[in-house]
Amino acid sequence: MAKGITPQTGIMEIALYQGGASKLAGISNVLKLSSNENPLGPSDAAKEAVVRASHDLHRYPSTDHASLRASIGEVWGVDPARVVCGVGSGEVLKLLTEAYAGKGDEILFTEHGFSMYPIYAHACGATPVVVPEKERVVDVDAILAACTRKTRLILIANPANPTGTMIGSGELARLAEGIPPQALLVLDGAYAEFVDGYDAGKALVEARENVVMTRTFSKIYGLGGMRVGWGYGPQAVIDVLNRIRGPFNLSTAALAAAEAALRDTDHTEKCRIENAKWREWLAGALAAHGVPSDTSTANFILARFGSEAEANACDDHLKSQGIIVRRVAGYGLPNCLRITVGDEAACRRVAHAVGQFKGVK
């Protein structure tokens, strides 16, 4: 790099994000359980929408995402005018940090929070502040104690990744009530649809002016490869985000797939029920092999081992059996492995392999 040409402060502090591995050398029948993908995939309606959209790929996509926002409003009972769409919920989170934080500001998140949070903070020049959790659960009192006059954003995943735990609406409301007046509470609801009856913070957003929620089509809707997400918040915040959002950030095919997936509520409910069924089964099977986990509310299980060495050894054994899960030492959980809940065959396969490793007869 030429002398004097340097990036903004904080950018070189960023450790590159590591996605879930998908290949194992010399093994063809690989079972990928490292990225929390929906084993049932997207609905047929979403696939058909992509095919139809292929006829118009020479046309620029909508800049206001009006049709998708209207569908979001109808299905989730929110005001479409207060919805912003992004390239996954990650873009919405990034826009929030760019718009509301910078040099001299602080962005708070918890110790086992999503690994992109510190990246967003460093990228906008803000200072990331890591807050302790209590037994892998978000601690509202600790967050409130960590807030200062410099706090601009508090990023909370609920349900959380990679722990799978969550806090209730009462604790979320207490958090929103207690944060400083200059701060925004951002509820990352990437896994919200896996929780029966959970509104992902919608009621709190509508009751207050300091809360934003984000959602994604990458998880339960099975559209990780299309990259679509959305945010819902106060009108003034959404207006700010739309001013810095790229006008053509979502492709024609992505918009069509997301809208069709959203409206196929039968498929979504089927995915939620199947995930809950096999999540409970997998947690029980692993526990029977001496591998405990917290009650998960998402589409993965955080399997806990006696030590980092044991977790890594189990991961190596799983790889030898063609199974890829996620090491989470980078999340401050070195003695754990995050295992996506797959279909029945996948759950039985991974449980059997863990049992082999533990020597269960």
Side-chain angles (χ1 to χ4, degrees):
M1 184 177 293
K3 186 177 181 180
I5 302 177
T6 58
Q8 292 281 8
T9 301
I11 290 180
M12 296 311 294
E13 300 297 318
I14 295 173
L16 293 178
Y17 177 80
Q18 300 294 321
S22 59
K23 297 179 181 179
L24 291 172
I27 300 178
S28 57
N29 184 27
V30 171
L31 175 59
K32 183 188 177 188
L33 300 175
S34 57
S35 295
N36 300 339
E37 295 155 333
N38 184 344
L40 301 183
S43 76
D44 289 340
K47 297 175 186 177
E48 292 164 5
V50 172
V51 173
R52 289 194 301 271
S54 69
H55 299 293
D56 291 315
L57 296 184
H58 58 301
R59 305 293 185 190
Y60 277 96
S62 160
T63 60
D64 62 7
H65 314 139
S67 184
L68 177 57
R69 288 190 296 105
S71 295
I72 291 170
E74 181 180 331
V75 172
W76 285 104
V78 299
D79 179 0
R82 294 171 58 183
V83 171
V84 61
C85 298
V87 183
S89 55
E91 185 184 28
V92 180
L93 294 168
K94 188 172 186 292
L95 290 173
L96 282 163
T97 58
E98 291 175 349
Y100 289 99
K103 188 175 181 180
D105 297 325
E106 295 176 345
I107 295 178
L108 272 61
F109 46 88
T110 61
E111 64 177 313
H112 305 309
F114 182 39
S115 61
M116 284 301 298
Y117 297 160
I119 292 178
Y120 297 142
H122 283 303
C124 70
T127 300
V129 177
V130 181
V131 181
E133 294 183 6
K134 185 180 293 183
E135 294 295 314
R136 297 169 301 281
V137 178
V138 168
D139 185 339
V140 170
D141 290 324
I143 294 172
L144 294 177
C147 288
T148 70
R149 59 182 178 80
K150 296 181 179 180
T151 304
R152 297 301 305 275
L153 291 164
I154 298 102
L155 306 177
I156 300 296
N158 203 48
N161 173 27
T163 63
T165 61
M166 68 182 295
I167 58 175
S169 58
E171 284 293 271
L172 290 176
R174 187 165 72 88
L175 179 57
E177 178 67 27
I179 63 176
Q182 80 282 354
L184 271 176
L185 172 61
V186 181
L187 303 177
D188 178 351
Y191 299 95
E193 290 87 354
F194 292 104
V195 185
D196 189 22
Y198 177 46
D199 74 350
K202 183 188 91 168
L204 197 58
V205 171
E206 294 175 342
R208 306 188 60 85
E209 292 297 315
N210 66 342
V211 182
V212 178
M213 75 175 191
T214 65
R215 308 286 280 277
T216 185
F217 285 89
S218 297
K219 302 305 178 185
I220 204 167
Y221 296 108
L223 293 175
M226 301 301 281
R227 311 305 303 126
V228 187
W230 57 282
Y232 183 56
Q235 188 67 66
V237 173
I238 300 304
D239 177 65
V240 167
L241 301 188
N242 277 320
R243 291 173 185 271
I244 60 174
R245 173 181 63 81
F248 301 110
N249 60 330
L250 291 177
S251 71
T252 299
L255 288 166
E259 185 172 351
L262 182 71
R263 290 189 174 279
D264 191 350
T265 54
D266 287 343
H267 181 75
T268 306
E269 183 63 4
K270 176 184 177 182
C271 293
R272 187 190 65 78
I273 291 171
E274 283 294 299
N275 176 76
K277 174 183 177 180
W278 290 106
R279 179 182 64 202
E280 181 180 4
W281 183 93
L282 181 58
L286 295 181
H289 295 330
V291 180
S293 60
D294 296 315
T295 299
S296 174
T297 53
N299 69 334
F300 55 84
I301 287 170
L302 185 70
R304 301 203 310 275
F305 295 84
S307 65
E308 181 175 8
E310 186 186 21
N312 290 344
C314 184
D315 184 44
D316 289 338
H317 174 72
L318 292 174
K319 287 177 180 175
S320 76
Q321 301 301 304
I323 302 170
I324 305 176
V325 299
R326 189 70 175 266
R327 294 190 186 190
V328 285
Y331 284 92
L333 295 160
N335 65 326
C336 299
L337 297 175
R338 193 191 69 188
I339 306 173
T340 301
V341 176
D343 58 15
E344 177 179 358
C347 288
R348 292 188 183 280
R349 183 175 165 187
V350 72
H352 176 72
V354 171
Q356 281 183 322
F357 170 76
K358 295 289 286 187
V360 177
K361 304 299 183 183

